[in-house]
Amino acid sequence: MRNIFKGSLKGYVCEDCREVIADVEILFYLPYRKEVPANSNTKETFRFVSKEESKEREKLLIGKTKTDKEGNFAFEVNENYLNSEFDIDFICGTVPPKPPKPKREETLQFHITTLSMKEELEQQERNENYKWEYSIAYKWWCYIRGHFFDAWVICGHLLNCRTNTPIANAKVTAMDADFLTDDNLGTATTDSNGHFRIDYSSADFKKTFLSPWINIETDPSFLSFNSGPDVYFKAELGGTKLVDETKANARKNVGYCLCVNLCSEVTVTNPEETFPSAWTGIGAAFSSSYGSGIHDFDADGFAGSGKQVLFSTIRLTGQAALKSASGNPIEYRFRISDTTAANNTPFLAESNFTKIIGVTPNLFVPSIVSKLTRKVFSFILNDIFVYSNQSDFDAEGWFDVNHAIERTLIEVGLTPADLSLYNIIEEDTLISLNTAALTSAPNVPDIFNAGEPIPPANEIPVEKFAIRFEIREVINKPSNIFGAIGGNGKTLNSIVMNNNPIYRKLAGKELEESTLCTPISGTIHAKYSLYHPYLASGSLHLKSNSGSIDRFVSDGIINSASVKRINNNSPLNAPPSNNNLTRCTYSLKLYSSTRKSNGDFNDSDGGSPLEQIFFYDDNQV
């Protein structure tokens, strides 16, 4: 009977990431008797075999075999050695995923272990599926891969931060943070378990603007040189950013093997998966809660640490599952109240909320509420954006995202049954609201000249509104049977909104007293008016065409904290400090901004300054 010893060889890249070691020679020796340190386990001592030791053991070599592409091998044991112990070594000529050559021209031999061949063959005789398996510890295997083959690797998982479920089919890119230019180490796609692997070499993170002639790792800390890359990650799925790290998140000077777990706040689910539903924010900048955090609303209804006010179209953000745990559809809606209360008091009664997005005219704005991405890549309809539509609301303003998805599938030529082919990316937006349909304060009439006071009757009043989020499980809609869902009734009692522009006027006093084309001289003055109830900044800037004069004008009013900044006699060159205007053409600009934001970007109102051009002639009599 033939005595076939079957085995396999693998190596750990990370504690949860293992790879087969293919196409390497496995050597079988009679035991090499050599003095070893006390307390060492000779049968489990993995070590490097020197040239001298290898030569000394040549006469003990019994035979050799080779691993296949799965890291498996078979070796026929001569019956003369059945009762012997065997030393098992291997010669490493290559490492996955491709066969690079060692950095040194030398044979790399490693001792794996010593075992009783008789015991192993007896186990294989009792169980024909049994084979001896050995996995090299990741500290050893990573050292071999990196030190001898310049083979570096990143193994990781991409998960949802809240549910800890894996995110499949996402593209993960690893970057090396450098002082000069960040290096792209590679990109990989996550599998069904959210697992990804990126292989690279030192050449990938030692690139410079002189590469390939000169390569060196340029550490962004500049003063301390380290040989390993400083790694940070980007991840996206269907064009949606899942992970967006920067240099500040870089893992410093990583070794040959990097093991990471990345998580994304973006919800990616199968159509039948459930998860907690909630209204959590407004745009990307603000939470939908009262508190002291930099994203929270204060008691008076101002948003974030900048005490901003909402304007234009705002995204009411959060997440809502398609179905409840019992498999019933989920619907949600947002209602608005003109009655408000402080945000640090109990929620307003629901009877106050008489306006409904999707019912009250002009409140609803279509927006992307979901994205479908194919589980298996397709060149056609791989990613489908789901926009909210008026038809997705019922008569009471309940929004059905299931209807929106099915409608979108039909519009692109698919059927609702095709949803099973897709993962669903929650796009964060639940509904978008047009705040201009709520605010009604009139603008300041354009009847006042620069520097002229604005009467209190024409000032813009404060406007506040409350928003309530409602969500339900639809058990039987025709019979009006609905179930409660956590998060129902979430309310912001007070949100300050404003859609009025800044009132701005600018003029040159001496120009108005002559003509706009007349050269002026002597001490000259600016006349200006800036007003908005939520004015954030204002500045007056003077610059000569030659560039010799380039300064902000400080007159004690323009830089004040008041929401009204008005002056009809602001000197631009009052002696002695600013009496330096020379014969030239000048530009006088009035800059301003407000505290208006929609949660994603600030108001550009006042972004383009008002400008007054004049010619100054210091020789004019």
Side-chain angles (χ1 to χ4, degrees), residues 10-29:
K10 295 180 172 64
Y12 278 104
V13 172
C14 298
E15 290 185 350
D16 64 345
C17 185
R18 197 169 57 160
E19 64 185 11
V20 300
I21 302 177
D23 199 33
V24 298
E25 279 192 319
I26 307 294
L27 310 178
F28 295 87
Y29 293 89

Side-chain angles (χ1 to χ4, degrees), residues 364 366-367 369 372 384-393 399-416:
F364 167 66
S367 57
V369 293
L372 311 180
I384 303 173
F385 292 89
V386 178
Y387 284 83
S388 54
N389 186 282
Q390 185 64 56
S391 65
D392 302 321
F393 295 88
F399 180 79
D400 185 351
V401 71
N402 297 279
H403 182 275
I405 291 173
E406 292 179 2
R407 172 183 52 76
T408 301
L409 288 172
I410 294 170
E411 287 174 352
V412 299
L414 299 176
T415 69

Side-chain angles (χ1 to χ4, degrees), residues 237-258:
L237 179 60
T240 297
K241 289 182 180 179
L242 303 180
V243 175
D244 192 20
E245 295 183 345
T246 64
K247 288 183 179 183
N249 308 112
R251 298 142 186 87
K252 300 291 185 179
N253 190 33
V254 306
Y256 299 124
C257 298
L258 173 62

Side-chain angles (χ1 to χ4, degrees), residues 228-290:
D230 297 337
V231 181
Y232 64 95
F233 293 91
K234 307 282 187 181
E236 62 93 13
L237 179 60
T240 297
K241 289 182 180 179
L242 303 180
V243 175
D244 192 20
E245 295 183 345
T246 64
K247 288 183 179 183
N249 308 112
R251 298 142 186 87
K252 300 291 185 179
N253 190 33
V254 306
Y256 299 124
C257 298
L258 173 62
C259 313
V260 295
N261 283 318
L262 305 176
C263 86
S264 173
E265 296 289 344
V266 178
T267 302
V268 181
T269 67
N270 289 316
E272 300 304 317
E273 287 185 47
T274 62
F275 49 87
S277 302
W279 171 38
T280 59
I282 295 177
F286 308 129
S287 77
S288 57
S289 300
Y290 160 74

